[in-house]
Amino acid sequence: MDAVGARAVPAVNVTPGELVRSARKEQRLTLAQLGAVTGYSAAQVSRYERGVSPLTDVVVLRRFADALGIAPQALGLTPQPDVRHGRVIGPTAAYPRLPGPRVADTNREDGEDPVRRRQLLANLAVTAVAAAGAPLTSGGKPPVHEAALGDVLIGRLRDAMLGLHHDIAVPPAAALHTELARALADFHTCRYGSLAVRLPRLICAAHARATDGDGLEHGGLLARSYLLATRMLIKLDEQQLGWMAADRARQTADASGAPLLVAEAARQLAVLARKAGWHGQAMSLALTAADHPGLRSGGPACAAERGLLIQSAAYTAARAGDADGMRELTDEAAAIADELGGTTLLRDHGGGFSPITVQLHLVSAENSAGDPSAALAAAQAVAPRNLPSTERRARYYTDIATAFARWNRRDECIRALLAAEHHAPEETHARPAVKSLVSGLLVSGRTTTELRGLAARVGVLAR
């Protein structure tokens, strides 16, 4: 329905969602009928009307205004822009394309101890070579500074994104895809020493190939590399670089034209928005992407990505203090997982999507909602051995450790952290969330030999 000449709907003390609901009911449309016209599911239209999902996005508001004949001004919109010969006249918000890095040779130490940094990077290089199966020149095993892995990985990703790696050999395109598969395997198995060498080099080499016109942007290699970098930076609580990586992931995903990559980039932007405290924007990013026609009309992988996006929105609801909304959205994600038959899909997106990963996500969400007893109850339905990766198993034990800590069950918290360390020592030692948890245990009560040893290994207590 054309909104031109439409009647104005009173907007005093009425939310946009209430205006939409009023206009829909007046025209005797069901949620499903309005969703079919606007391109959203009935559930999403209901969330917009009830304010569960903030109705703030200009594109979404225009869709409802056009479909229901609501005057744009009633929804806080300006009139449609002037369009001449198929072009919008006036300011636009086109997303900029990403140029290849052009920075030449540098010799900076960035304020770090040069000797210590060179030693760390040498050790990490040996670790990466070993992980790749290449022979080592030395017969001895170098010491692994796992507590410092996070800082080293952040530093190397920073330099790669700034174009400061100048000694990178550029292999053929097929070899780069193999390297990406190895980098993803490093992430899933929590081999961060290897990842700290492999992923930055991959990003630099992929940029060089894309700049040479090899068309890797269309194959999604750069997008997938930046998506992995974003996940790692989020895990390491490096939000500043995380935004930079997520921005590039979005650009390269858009360039690839792959709906799954575009949706995953939106999911990671939503995670960063949530961590910044922008709950309304995070919810809008996730749920709008979940209802994109490109996902709704796709196959099982697209359905799984929708589930991951709805999961992300559930976690945001928990962080915003809306436990009921969190559980409603989690139930919606669980229903999608059940419809997919229980198989884990999209292992490289958010750790995979299946009924058990939805349940694991519920453990984290209940913790965020401030209900450790509900988190532990949810954890009882998760068999760690059935989780799809080492990284997800480490997340499970860290989540239940968090719940035990909030309940002041110190011994059980420490046992859970030791279990996480057993499965994924590099993840446990490098992750800031674990460091914070261990620091809290040190200052909040009695210490044991086990706790002091763990504290030393994660780098919060001098040996």
Side-chain angles (χ1 to χ4, degrees):
M1 181 182 297
D2 193 349
V4 177
R7 63 191 179 284
V9 181
V12 179
N13 297 325
V14 178
T15 68
E18 290 169 338
L19 282 174
V20 168
R21 179 169 54 192
S22 175
R24 175 180 64 79
K25 289 185 174 181
E26 187 174 329
Q27 297 178 37
R28 298 183 179 179
L29 294 174
T30 66
L31 291 168
Q33 288 170 332
L34 179 56
V37 174
T38 56
Y40 302 111
S41 66
Q44 180 61 26
V45 173
S46 175
R47 286 193 290 266
Y48 281 138
E49 290 185 350
R50 291 180 291 124
V52 174
S53 180
L55 193 48
T56 55
D57 186 273
V58 171
V59 174
V60 178
L61 287 167
R62 282 205 186 278
R63 288 185 184 179
F64 283 115
D66 291 343
L68 295 169
I70 300 173
Q73 294 87 338
L75 292 174
L77 298 170
T78 58
Q80 287 282 8
D82 185 15
V83 178
R84 300 174 189 169
H85 304 290
R87 292 182 177 272
V88 175
I89 307 302
T92 63
Y95 215 73
R97 291 298 302 278
L98 180 67
R102 300 291 185 185
V103 182
D105 188 9
T106 61
N107 290 291
R108 299 167 54 243
E109 293 292 349
D110 296 327
E112 298 178 18
D113 179 358
V115 175
R116 179 175 178 272
R117 185 180 182 193
R118 281 195 293 270
Q119 182 62 49
L120 280 171
L121 295 179
N123 291 341
L124 291 173
V126 173
T127 302
V129 171
L136 297 177
T137 56
S138 171
K141 183 178 180 180
V144 178
H145 303 271
E146 290 176 354
L149 278 176
D151 291 338
V152 173
L153 183 48
I154 288 169
R156 290 182 64 81
L157 284 173
R158 173 202 63 205
D159 289 353
M161 288 191 289
L162 293 175
L164 299 178
H165 286 191
H166 53 84
D167 57 347
I168 304 299
V170 182
L176 286 180
H177 284 284
T178 300
E179 280 299 291
L180 174 61
R182 289 173 175 167
L184 288 165
D186 286 341
F187 180 85
H188 294 313
T189 55
C190 300
R191 295 195 302 262
Y192 297 152
S194 175
L195 188 65
V197 175
R198 197 184 306 279
L199 183 55
R201 290 180 178 272
L202 174 64
I203 288 172
C204 291
H207 266 295
R209 279 289 174 197
T211 302
D212 290 342
D214 277 9
L216 285 177
E217 290 175 22
H218 300 291
L221 188 140
L222 259 177
R224 294 175 68 198
S225 299
Y226 273 120
L227 287 169
L228 177 56
T230 306
R231 285 186 66 193
M232 195 67 236
L233 290 166
I234 289 171
K235 183 183 287 288
L236 294 174
D237 204 23
E238 177 52 55
Q239 293 188 47
Q240 191 171 26
L241 280 178
W243 279 110
M244 184 176 177
D247 181 68
R248 293 189 179 182
R250 177 176 172 177
Q251 293 182 59
T252 51
D254 285 346
S256 77
L260 283 174
L261 296 180
V262 172
E264 180 62 9
R267 190 185 70 83
Q268 293 194 1
L269 283 168
V271 172
L272 286 160
R274 178 177 68 230
K275 290 177 76 70
W278 305 335
H279 298 140
Q281 290 81 359
M283 187 82 76
S284 182
L285 278 168
L287 293 178
T288 299
D291 262 345
H292 191 279
L295 287 188
R296 294 191 62 81
S297 61
C302 289
E305 187 66 38
R306 288 188 66 241
L308 288 170
L309 286 157
I310 292 168
Q311 253 184 198
S312 179
Y315 198 94
T316 298
R319 290 291 295 269
D322 182 6
D324 290 340
M326 176 270 289
R327 291 168 189 143
E328 176 185 333
L329 288 163
T330 299
D331 287 344
E332 188 175 340
I336 294 173
D338 289 339
E339 288 174 5
L340 292 172
T343 304
T344 299
L345 299 173
L346 297 182
R347 189 168 174 262
D348 296 336
H349 291 200
F353 184 74
S354 66
I356 193 171
T357 61
V358 173
Q359 188 68 21
L360 175 63
H361 207 270
L362 178 60
V363 179
S364 298
E366 293 286 10
N367 266 332
S368 286
D371 193 341
S373 63
L376 292 171
Q380 291 179 355
V382 178
R385 66 182 179 278
N386 293 335
L387 289 166
S389 68
T390 300
E391 188 269 340
R392 292 288 87 183
R393 285 188 284 278
R395 178 62 182 262
Y396 166 82
Y397 286 112
T398 303
D399 280 346
I400 63 173
T402 300
F404 282 133
R406 288 179 174 173
W407 240 3
N408 201 30
R409 292 162 63 172
R410 294 171 56 85
D411 292 343
E412 290 159 296
C413 174
I414 293 169
R415 282 197 292 272
L417 288 172
L418 290 173
E421 183 185 38
H422 170 75
H423 285 278
E426 292 186 13
E427 155 94 359
T428 307
H429 298 163
R431 193 174 172 201
V434 174
K435 295 176 187 288
S436 177
L437 194 53
V438 173
S439 295
L441 290 170
L442 284 173
V443 300
S444 64
R446 65 182 179 85
T447 61
T448 63
T449 301
E450 282 184 331
L451 176 58
R452 289 193 295 273
L454 178 61
R457 293 191 294 277
V458 303
V460 298
L461 183 69
R463 292 181 182 272

